[in-house]
Amino acid sequence: MTAPIPTTKPAFQWDDPLLLEEQLTDEERMVRDTARAYCQEKLMPRVLEANRHERFDREIMNEMGTLGFLGSTLSGYGCAGVNHVCYGLVARELERVDSGYRSALSVQSSLVMHPIHEFGTEAQRRKYLPKLATGEWIGCFGLTEPDHGSDPGAMVTRARKAEGGFVLSGAKMWISNAPYADVFLIWAKDDSGAIRGYLLDKGMKGLTTSKIEGKFSLRV
């Protein structure tokens, strides 16, 4: 015998078309609700004027750090250690309000903290990750260049071996978080032409950053 053909269609849920809600765990819902409350109650009221005046509210990074949003998928070093679904849910709530602050979170978490956690030395992890996790420090990821965009093969920034480390020379552009950064993960070619990442601290000799005025996209 064959089953009868249903005569009614399932209702379409416009606000949750993929039925994501029913797939979430209690922890994931808690993280999502915390992020939503923060974004709607604390972030939303500040975004309109900040965007109009090209202002980045530095304290928002500290607030996100207090809530455990920064580097949230990492374990140890003051990080929350939640799963990647939680990270995505937090990013979605931020994106719902402002893409610039979502980018600030993503750069800090995925492009700065993750490489340090995965590939850095233990000394580097202990130095950088706790302060990046709290938002005390802001990090940026320096790949894109003025004349070559994000094409690593055409990169002209160079790292020359010197006593005690390396000397970097070159210029980067369109680097999210750069005007406010304390930690710089800069990509450069070494003497052999290999592309490697180098950690720089704010205040190092010759390291300067500037704000690009008049952007109509992300303000960070």
Side-chain angles (χ1 to χ4, degrees):
M1 296 180 63
T2 59
I5 299 175
T7 56
T8 58
K9 295 181 180 180
F12 177 72
Q13 295 185 216
W14 65 268
D15 56 344
D16 188 16
L18 300 179
L19 303 181
L20 175 65
E21 180 67 27
E22 64 186 43
Q23 301 176 54
L24 300 178
T25 66
D26 290 342
E27 180 185 41
E28 290 162 357
R29 289 192 182 93
M30 180 185 68
V31 171
R32 187 271 317 276
D33 292 345
T34 299
R36 180 170 296 175
Y38 170 75
C39 291
Q40 296 299 316
E41 297 169 13
K42 303 293 185 181
L43 182 61
M44 179 72 84
R46 288 182 274 182
V47 161
L48 183 60
E49 289 302 315
N51 191 67
R52 284 175 174 171
H53 300 290
E54 301 189 27
R55 186 180 70 248
F56 178 79
D57 289 331
R58 173 64 179 81
E59 63 271 19
I60 287 174
M61 295 296 285
N62 299 92
E63 294 169 7
M64 290 197 290
T66 299
L67 291 168
F69 294 166
L70 302 175
S72 60
T73 60
L74 304 180
S75 297
Y77 309 98
C79 300
V82 298
N83 64 26
H84 286 80
V85 172
C86 289
Y87 178 36
L89 291 168
V90 171
R92 185 175 70 165
E93 294 305 320
L94 283 161
E95 185 73 34
R96 192 193 303 271
V97 174
D98 182 77
S99 192
Y101 286 105
R102 195 277 310 151
S103 288
L105 167 98
S106 298
V107 168
Q108 181 101 337
S109 302
S110 299
L111 299 185
V112 179
M113 296 179 71
H114 172 71
I116 293 173
H117 187 272
E118 188 72 13
F119 304 109
T121 65
E122 182 59 25
Q124 290 170 336
R125 295 187 192 105
R126 291 182 181 277
K127 175 181 178 179
Y128 294 109
L129 292 179
K131 292 186 177 181
L132 290 167
T134 62
E136 180 181 347
W137 285 354
I138 292 180
C140 70
F141 181 91
L143 171 65
T144 306
E145 297 188 349
D147 298 321
H148 305 285
S150 300
D151 176 12
M155 184 185 298
V156 296
T157 300
R158 291 293 184 269
R160 308 296 186 193
K161 197 164 183 57
E163 184 178 353
F166 293 84
V167 175
L168 271 64
S169 60
K172 303 291 183 178
M173 192 173 186
W174 308 116
I175 307 302
S176 296
N177 295 356
Y180 320 99
D182 304 283
V183 182
F184 301 76
L185 177 51
I186 303 298
W187 295 91
K189 290 181 179 177
D190 64 15
D191 291 331
S192 70
I195 299 172
R196 302 185 185 280
Y198 300 84
L199 286 170
L200 283 69
D201 295 335
K202 182 178 181 179
M204 282 185 167
K205 183 179 179 180
L207 176 61
T208 61
T209 60
S210 59
K211 179 182 175 184
I212 300 175
E213 304 283 354
K215 292 168 63 182
F216 287 92
S217 184
L218 309 187
R219 299 296 202 184
V220 296

